């Protein structure tokens, strides 16, 4: 049984929930922005994630993203660009965290150096999302299998599938944003804890970059 050209809809929903709950650079970035800049900035970062994911879904639905499989050199360029960018973000976060610790700055003070893109969370989150070729390949393999072949209105099917992804992403990122505010309260007047947490976030970004650099298109 299919609805709007979508097969196994509830299987798709369960898969989306499981995938969204897996930690990644987007969710870690939103959590960090929410902790440092507050709820409004956190939702700006979430908006960047929504934009980036929407672009990737459109590329997947239109078949453009399949070029990464067809032309391996293109995949390599995007892969290493994304990996380098994530590593740069991570190293900058680590450097800023330890600079604040050495200068004995108040852990609650927000500056433009708290983390890269802090003053422009929407733009930075969108770039982090877009520079992730593995996400494009994931959308290809995941979306296509739930669209009924031969359905006369595939755009409608992809629209529904994309709306499901964004809905659960909104719920998850909202939880991270408000959770980040709670963590920020715990970090007040605790410079060592704040520096350690920021260093951990930076290390995660470096890890994401290394993982992406060693990933294959298959």
């Amino acid at each position: 049984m299919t609805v709007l050209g979508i097969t196994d809809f509830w299987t798709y929903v369960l898969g989306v929930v499981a995938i969204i709950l897996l930690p990644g650079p987007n969710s870690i970035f939103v959590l960090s922005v929410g902790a440092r800049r507050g709820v409004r900035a956190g939702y700006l970062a979430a908006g960047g994630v929504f934009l980036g994911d929407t672009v990737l879904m459109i590329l997947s639905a239109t078949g453009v993203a399949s070029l990464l499989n067809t032309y391996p050199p293109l995949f390599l360029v995007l892969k290493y660009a994304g990996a380098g960018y994530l590593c740069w973000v991570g190293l900058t976060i680590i450097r800023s965290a330890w600079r604040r610790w050495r200068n004995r700055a108040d852990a609650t003070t927000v500056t433009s150096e708290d983390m890269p893109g802090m003053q422009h969370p929407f733009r930075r989150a969108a770039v982090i999302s877009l520079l992730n070729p593995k996400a494009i390949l994931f959308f290809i393999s995941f979306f296509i299998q739930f669209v009924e072949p031969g359905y006369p209105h595939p755009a409608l099917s992809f629209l529904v599938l994309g709306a499901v992804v964004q809905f659960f992403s909104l719920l998850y990122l909202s939880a991270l944003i408000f959770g980040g505010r709670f963590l920020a309260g715990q970090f007040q007047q605790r410079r060592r804890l704040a520096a350690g947490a920021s260093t951990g976030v930076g290390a995660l970004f470096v890890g994401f970059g290394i993982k992406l650099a060693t990933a294959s298109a298959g």
Side-chain angles (χ1 to χ4, degrees):
M1 180 179 178
T2 62
V3 179
L4 299 178
I6 301 172
T7 62
D8 299 322
F9 177 77
W10 293 111
T11 300
Y12 171 78
V13 170
L14 291 176
V16 166
V17 172
I19 291 162
I20 288 178
L21 290 178
L22 292 175
N26 293 344
S27 57
I28 298 300
F29 183 79
V30 171
L31 174 63
S32 301
V33 171
R36 291 289 182 184
R37 289 284 307 277
V39 173
R40 182 177 180 275
Y43 275 109
L44 285 176
V49 173
F50 298 148
L51 175 62
D53 286 348
T54 298
V55 172
L56 296 183
M57 285 185 282
I58 292 174
L59 292 175
S60 300
T62 57
V64 175
S66 63
L67 292 174
L68 294 181
N69 277 327
T70 306
Y71 300 101
L74 178 59
F75 174 79
L76 290 176
V77 170
L78 291 179
K79 181 179 74 169
Y80 289 123
Y85 184 78
L86 290 177
C87 288
W88 176 79
V89 170
L91 292 174
T92 304
I93 293 174
I94 294 172
R95 183 184 61 186
S96 298
W98 287 104
R99 180 185 297 118
R100 291 196 306 274
W101 170 251
R102 288 197 306 270
N103 294 339
R104 298 182 180 276
D106 186 349
T108 63
T109 301
V110 175
T111 69
S112 60
E113 294 182 345
D114 278 340
M115 66 182 300
M118 186 59 70
Q119 293 182 329
H120 305 284
F122 178 88
R123 182 173 63 191
R124 190 52 55 93
V127 173
I128 289 175
S129 296
L130 291 172
L131 282 178
N132 191 352
K134 289 297 290 184
I136 299 176
L137 297 178
F138 161 77
F139 279 124
I140 294 174
S141 62
F142 194 68
F143 269 22
I144 298 300
Q145 63 179 308
F146 290 97
V147 176
E148 180 185 10
Y151 183 68
H153 307 290
L156 179 60
S157 302
F158 283 113
L159 179 62
V160 174
L161 295 178
V164 171
V165 172
Q166 300 292 42
F167 172 74
F168 285 104
S169 181
L170 174 62
L171 294 181
Y172 179 57
L173 293 180
S174 294
L176 292 180
I177 290 168
F178 287 99
R181 292 308 298 156
F182 171 78
L183 291 176
Q186 303 304 307
F187 293 152
Q188 289 181 357
Q189 306 302 324
R190 299 175 183 175
R191 291 190 299 271
R192 181 175 299 177
L193 181 60
S198 295
T199 301
V201 170
L204 282 175
F205 271 92
V206 173
F208 289 137
I210 294 174
K211 182 178 180 180
L212 177 58
T214 57
S216 64

